[in-house]
Amino acid sequence: MSGQEQIDFKVDTSNLYREDAVTDLKVASIRRMVPITADGQDDPSRSATFFGHTQILTPQGPLPLQARLMANNLAEAIQAFPEAMEQEMAQMVEQIRKMQEQEQQKKRDDSRIIVPGR
């Protein structure tokens, strides 16, 4: 790597979080990101953030889904989980559909016969 392409590995001590994980061992995995100070103490000046995780099994293998859960506490995160995963899955399906359309268009473009003089 040249000097201009170096990666900065410095830890941002003003943006530290402790991760607490909760799961139902079936579908839901919820991470609560608890803000902490550089000495490991809870930072009451910042709010916790929640993320939901799950997997959808497809013929190509498991497809992970992750979304931020708009919640102030674990009970609200549990309530928000189903809708957030449904929205994330809908976005993923739309992205896959667009990629398939682009691939089909590329195949059509690549298969055209070019005739000189036309």
Side-chain angles (χ1 to χ4, degrees):
M1 284 184 153
S2 71
Q4 295 176 351
E5 297 176 12
Q6 290 184 348
I7 299 172
D8 183 6
F9 289 105
K10 184 178 178 189
V11 176
D12 181 359
T13 58
S14 66
N15 195 37
L16 298 175
Y17 291 84
R18 179 183 69 242
E19 180 177 327
D20 294 338
V22 176
T23 181
D24 66 357
L25 296 177
K26 295 178 184 176
V27 175
S29 177
I30 298 174
R31 290 185 314 154
R32 179 175 67 159
M33 307 301 289
V34 180
I36 60 171
T37 60
D39 64 359
Q41 299 298 314
D42 287 358
D43 182 354
S45 69
R46 297 183 288 147
S47 300
T49 304
F50 293 88
F51 292 92
H53 302 266
T54 194
Q55 292 186 60
I56 304 297
L57 295 178
T58 70
Q60 290 77 25
L63 180 66
L65 295 176
Q66 172 179 308
R68 181 167 182 188
L69 304 174
M70 303 313 284
N72 296 311
N73 56 52
L74 182 58
E76 289 179 10
I78 290 169
Q79 283 287 128
F81 183 88
E83 184 178 341
M85 292 301 108
E86 287 173 7
Q87 288 177 355
E88 186 64 24
M89 187 171 66
Q91 288 177 350
M92 180 91 50
V93 167
E94 181 64 20
Q95 288 175 345
I96 291 170
R97 186 189 63 73
K98 284 181 181 179
M99 288 173 25
Q100 288 173 334
E101 286 176 0
Q102 289 172 352
E103 185 64 28
Q104 289 174 352
Q105 182 63 41
K106 185 179 184 307
K107 284 181 182 178
R108 284 192 297 270
D109 291 347
D110 290 347
S111 68
R112 290 191 312 210
I113 299 173
I114 299 173
V115 178
R118 284 190 164 182

